[in-house]
């Protein structure tokens, strides 16, 4: 029985190569044999572990799994196959799970690869019993390796960049459209509600935001006077309109309104005003976000229309993948399918109709300019999606091209060729990118310097704390012996005082009894004896000196 088929299994822990014993392919696909895959004892008779190459680190595992997912033969896998597969390549057959990887192995190493059928069934069994087939690998460690690799692989695939997130653009444009609808509905409600009291104001002021501000400011029209004329001018920004409002309030046909109703109208008007102000802030946020994520597209067609295209496509990447013909009718799907169903004329434009270019073109040229604009939008979206440092240079150049094409339709003046324009754009973009990179490098250097200073300050503070702690310990050690010495001196002084108190008592007792003086203490005796002995020694010395003089 010779080994004909080898099976490659990619696990989070490493690559494993199994040899499959000679079994008929038809018998492996029987239901009884498929059930035997579930038991490890029977499955051991089918496969045998030839080699296992564990990954050295988590980074190595991520690199290998990325290579496998992209159908590329990694060096680690090449080494395993070259060392463990049979030398005769014609007789060897390798079973793999991914057809792309099999094609790469066949191209680079020359081994015939097989996918599906028997190989899929064997791989199912290997996946189920992998921790039992490899010595030293437990089910717990295998699951940990899978979990860690899964997290790192997902993070690498997502490639999360805070400044290039188009999800925020999609949510912002959706909220902006919803706010437009809601503000319009609420403003109409304010007009109807306040119109009972001051109906003439609707004809004088047409803008919703201004009307709500006036309704909140005026309140009861009977209280409006010449003093409030300046405030009206500030709101309306027109002295004639302010005067007209004042005159209309004096001769209004509206009904009287209670203070409670006025309070409700004013509170609702203030809500509508706050929503309108929030909408302005949201539009600024959308503009700044579009300049970061898709600067070329926003420079070409505008922030709002560009954001709507990204939102409708689902993401900037999806929009970049669309052909120009799809971008042209994006947003007009219903009209397209209706035209296809009824065999009528297909729509010429979708969301890009809101661009100013199509509105400026003549009726006969609207289809042509929409097709040209969709082509340029596709180019701009691809540049924004796949460039490392996105800039608005290409968008500005593409906008100039659309302007030239509009002029060509109107006057017949031939526009510049696309090649010339793109060459200019590449030169300008390279300069802008270099400048941006230079600024980023400066920022990074400053950041590193700040970090270094912070670390140095922390280190210096830590040293100061350590030095202060050491000084306090040394002081404590010095103070303890001094205290001991002081205590000793205090004890000695107390002993001497006690002895001095006892001496007069002892001296008075023999005088009273008429007895001789008792012997003094040793220290006192020495003090009294020493001066007498010195005098005797001096006398002896004098006698000796006199005797020597007489002999001479």
């Amino acid at each position: 029985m010779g080994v004909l088929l080898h099976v490659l299994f990619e696990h989070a822990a490493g690559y494993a190569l199994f040899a499959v014993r000679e079994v008929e392919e038809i018998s492996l696909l029987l239901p009884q044999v498929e059930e035997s895959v579930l038991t490890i004892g029977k499955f051991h008779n089918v496969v045998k572990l030839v080699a296992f190459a564990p990954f050295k680190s988590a980074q190595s595992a991520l690199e290998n799994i990325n290579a496998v997912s992209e159908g590329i033969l990694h060096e680690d896998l090449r080494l395993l196959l070259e060392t463990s597969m049979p030398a005769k390549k014609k007789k060897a057959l390798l079973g793999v799970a991914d057809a792309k990887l099999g094609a790469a192995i066949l191209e680079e190493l020359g081994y015939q690869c097989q996918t599906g059928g028997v190989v899929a069934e064997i791989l199912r069994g290997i996946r189920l019993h992998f921790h039992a087939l490899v010595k030293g690998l437990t089910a717990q460690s295998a699951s940990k390796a899978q979990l860690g690799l899964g997290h790192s692989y997902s993070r690498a695939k997502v490639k999360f960049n805070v400044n290039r997130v188009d999800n925020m653009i999609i949510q912002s444009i959706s909220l902006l459209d919803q706010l437009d609808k809601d503000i319009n509905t609420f403003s109409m409600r304010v007009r109807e509600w306040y119109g009972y009291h001051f109906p003439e104001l609707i004809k004088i002021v047409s803008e919703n935001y201004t009307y709500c501000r006036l309704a909140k400011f005026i309140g009861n029209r009977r209280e409006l006077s010449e003093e409030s004329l300046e405030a009206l001018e500030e709101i309306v920004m027109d002295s004639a309109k302010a005067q007209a409002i004042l005159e209309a309030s004096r001769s209004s046909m509206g009904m009287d309104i209670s203070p409670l109703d006025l309070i409700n109208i004013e509170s609702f008007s203030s809500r509508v005003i706050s929503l309108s102000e929030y909408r302005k802030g949201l539009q600024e946020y959308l503009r700044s976000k579009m300049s970061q994520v898709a600067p070329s597209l926003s420079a070409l067609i505008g922030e709002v229309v560009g954001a709507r295209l990204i939102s409708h496509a689902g993401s900037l990447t999806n929009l970049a993948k669309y052909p120009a013909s799809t971008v042209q009718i994006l947003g007009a799907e219903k009209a397209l399918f209706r035209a296809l169903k009824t065999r009528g004329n297909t729509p010429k434009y979708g969301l890009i109709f809101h661009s100013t270019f199509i509105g400026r073109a003549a009726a006969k040229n609207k289809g042509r300019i929409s097709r040209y604009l969709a082509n340029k939008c596709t180019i701009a979206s691809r540049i924004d999606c796949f460039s490392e440092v996105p800039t608005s240079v290409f968008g500005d150049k593409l906008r100039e091209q659309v302007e030239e094409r509009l002029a060509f339709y109107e006057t017949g003046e031939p526009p510049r060729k696309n090649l010339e324009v793109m060459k200019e754009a590449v030169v300008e973009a390279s300069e802008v990118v270099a400048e941006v990179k230079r600024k980023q490098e400066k920022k990074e250097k400053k950041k590193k310097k700040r970090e270094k200073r912070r670390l140095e300050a922390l280190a210096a503070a830590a040293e100061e704390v350590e030095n202060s702690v050491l000084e306090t310990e040394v002081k404590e050690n010095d103070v303890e012996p001094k205290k001991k010495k002081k205590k000793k001196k205090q004890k000695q002084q107390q002993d001497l005082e006690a002895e001095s108190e006892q001496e007069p008592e002892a001296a008075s007792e023999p005088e009273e009894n008429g007895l001789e003086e008792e012997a003094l203490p040793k220290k006192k005796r020495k003090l009294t004896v020493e001066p007498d002995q010195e005098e005797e020694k001096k006398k002896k010395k004098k006698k000796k000196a006199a005797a020597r003089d007489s002999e001479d």
Side-chain angles (χ1 to χ4, degrees), residues 254-470:
M255 59 181 279
D256 290 334
I257 196 164
S258 66
L260 185 62
D261 295 333
L262 273 176
I263 289 167
N264 281 297
I265 292 169
E266 286 173 6
S267 64
F268 187 57
S269 299
S270 62
R271 292 292 178 90
V272 177
I273 291 163
S274 64
L275 275 176
S276 300
E277 289 171 353
Y278 173 69
R279 189 202 172 282
K280 290 177 184 176
L282 185 66
Q283 194 161 11
E284 287 297 321
Y285 166 74
L286 180 65
R287 187 175 287 110
S288 66
K289 208 70 183 168
M290 280 294 289
S291 64
Q292 288 178 358
V293 177
S296 295
L297 187 63
S298 57
L300 170 63
I301 204 170
E303 290 86 3
V304 177
V305 182
R308 284 204 177 97
L309 286 172
I310 292 170
S311 176
H312 202 84
S315 68
L316 182 61
T317 308
N318 290 348
L319 183 64
K321 289 176 183 176
Y322 285 161
S325 58
T326 306
V327 174
Q328 183 183 350
I329 58 167
L330 204 64
E333 288 84 2
K334 285 184 180 179
L336 173 68
F337 292 123
R338 185 171 62 246
L340 292 172
K341 190 176 180 181
T342 59
R343 295 183 182 179
N345 294 327
T346 55
K348 296 176 183 177
Y349 29 70
L351 289 169
I352 60 172
F353 177 75
H354 298 289
S355 172
T356 55
F357 297 114
I358 294 171
R360 285 158 53 192
K364 61 179 181 179
N365 296 325
K366 283 187 186 292
R368 296 168 73 187
I369 197 66
S370 67
R371 187 166 59 250
Y372 190 79
L373 182 60
N375 184 18
K376 298 303 174 188
C377 285
T378 307
I379 294 169
S381 63
R382 287 170 186 171
I383 289 167
D384 288 330
C385 183
F386 300 110
S387 59
E388 291 181 6
V389 184
T391 60
S392 61
V393 175
F394 288 99
D396 294 332
K397 292 292 180 183
L398 292 170
R399 188 180 181 86
E400 288 174 11
Q401 280 188 294
V402 179
E403 294 279 0
E404 288 174 4
R405 185 54 62 106
L406 269 174
F408 169 69
Y409 291 150
E410 290 174 4
T411 61
E413 183 183 349
R416 290 179 294 171
K417 290 184 178 179
N418 188 47
L419 184 63
E420 297 174 4
V421 178
M422 286 296 109
K423 280 181 179 178
E424 290 177 10
V426 167
V427 173
E428 289 182 19
S430 60
E431 291 175 1
V432 172
V433 168
E435 185 65 26
V436 169
K437 286 184 176 178
R438 201 178 299 116
K439 287 180 180 178
Q440 286 178 351
E441 286 175 1
K442 282 184 180 179
K443 282 183 181 178
E444 286 178 2
K445 285 180 181 178
K446 287 180 180 178
K447 192 177 179 181
K448 284 179 181 178
K449 283 182 180 178
R450 282 198 298 269
E451 189 68 20
K452 192 177 179 182
R453 286 172 187 169
R454 190 178 68 81
L455 292 172
E456 286 175 357
L458 287 172
E463 284 180 6
E464 286 179 4
V465 171
E466 287 178 3
N467 292 334
S468 61
V469 169
L470 290 171

Side-chain angles (χ1 to χ4, degrees), residues 70 82 121 191 219 301 335 352 359 454 460:
E70 291 169 10
E82 285 177 349
E121 199 64 33
R191 282 174 182 272
I301 204 170
I352 60 172
R454 190 178 68 81

Side-chain angles (χ1 to χ4, degrees), residues 66-338:
N66 280 328
V68 169
S69 65
E70 291 169 10
I72 299 167
L73 184 64
H74 197 269
E75 287 299 320
D76 295 347
L77 182 57
R78 181 197 291 273
L79 183 64
L80 175 71
L81 294 175
E82 285 177 349
T83 53
S84 303
M85 285 291 286
K88 294 179 180 179
K89 295 182 180 180
K90 290 183 180 179
K91 290 185 178 181
L93 183 64
L94 183 65
V96 292
D98 189 14
K100 285 183 182 179
L101 185 63
I105 291 168
L106 176 63
E107 185 181 349
E108 296 192 28
L109 298 178
Y111 291 108
Q112 290 292 328
C113 294
Q114 183 180 343
T115 56
V118 181
V119 174
E121 199 64 33
I122 292 167
L123 284 171
R124 185 169 72 90
I126 292 170
R127 192 177 297 109
L128 184 64
H129 306 295
F130 184 72
H131 60 276
L133 294 169
V134 178
K135 289 182 180 179
L137 186 70
T138 60
Q140 189 177 3
S141 60
S143 63
K144 280 183 180 178
Q146 286 174 334
L147 183 65
L149 184 59
H151 281 300
S152 57
Y153 179 73
S154 301
R155 280 196 296 271
K157 278 292 175 188
V158 168
K159 292 178 182 175
F160 184 73
N161 186 352
V162 177
N163 297 321
R164 297 291 296 276
V165 179
D166 50 6
N167 296 332
M168 303 302 162
I169 291 171
I170 295 167
Q171 296 298 328
S172 300
I173 193 65
S174 301
L175 181 57
L176 200 66
D177 292 339
Q178 189 65 42
L179 278 174
D180 286 336
K181 291 177 185 176
D182 293 343
I183 289 167
N184 192 30
T185 307
F186 294 155
S187 300
M188 293 304 296
R189 182 65 54 212
V190 173
R191 282 174 182 272
E192 287 182 17
W193 202 353
Y194 192 66
Y196 294 128
H197 177 61
F198 194 0
E200 290 82 7
L201 188 64
I202 298 170
K203 293 179 181 179
I204 298 168
V205 179
S206 58
E207 193 186 358
N208 291 332
Y209 177 64
T210 311
Y211 186 89
C212 291
R213 287 182 68 191
L214 284 169
K216 184 182 177 184
F217 174 74
I218 295 168
N220 193 345
R221 71 171 192 276
R222 295 185 185 280
E223 295 175 2
L224 204 62
S225 61
E226 293 286 343
E227 295 175 357
S228 54
L229 192 62
E230 290 183 5
L232 283 173
E233 285 180 10
E234 286 181 7
I235 295 170
V236 182
M237 302 298 290
D238 189 358
S239 58
K241 275 188 179 180
Q243 191 65 37
I245 291 165
L246 187 62
E247 290 173 1
S249 66
R250 289 169 181 168
S251 60
S252 177
M253 299 291 290
M255 59 181 279
D256 290 334
I257 196 164
S258 66
L260 185 62
D261 295 333
L262 273 176
I263 289 167
N264 281 297
I265 292 169
E266 286 173 6
S267 64
F268 187 57
S269 299
S270 62
R271 292 292 178 90
V272 177
I273 291 163
S274 64
L275 275 176
S276 300
E277 289 171 353
Y278 173 69
R279 189 202 172 282
K280 290 177 184 176
L282 185 66
Q283 194 161 11
E284 287 297 321
Y285 166 74
L286 180 65
R287 187 175 287 110
S288 66
K289 208 70 183 168
M290 280 294 289
S291 64
Q292 288 178 358
V293 177
S296 295
L297 187 63
S298 57
L300 170 63
I301 204 170
E303 290 86 3
V304 177
V305 182
R308 284 204 177 97
L309 286 172
I310 292 170
S311 176
H312 202 84
S315 68
L316 182 61
T317 308
N318 290 348
L319 183 64
K321 289 176 183 176
Y322 285 161
S325 58
T326 306
V327 174
Q328 183 183 350
I329 58 167
L330 204 64
E333 288 84 2
K334 285 184 180 179
L336 173 68
F337 292 123
R338 185 171 62 246

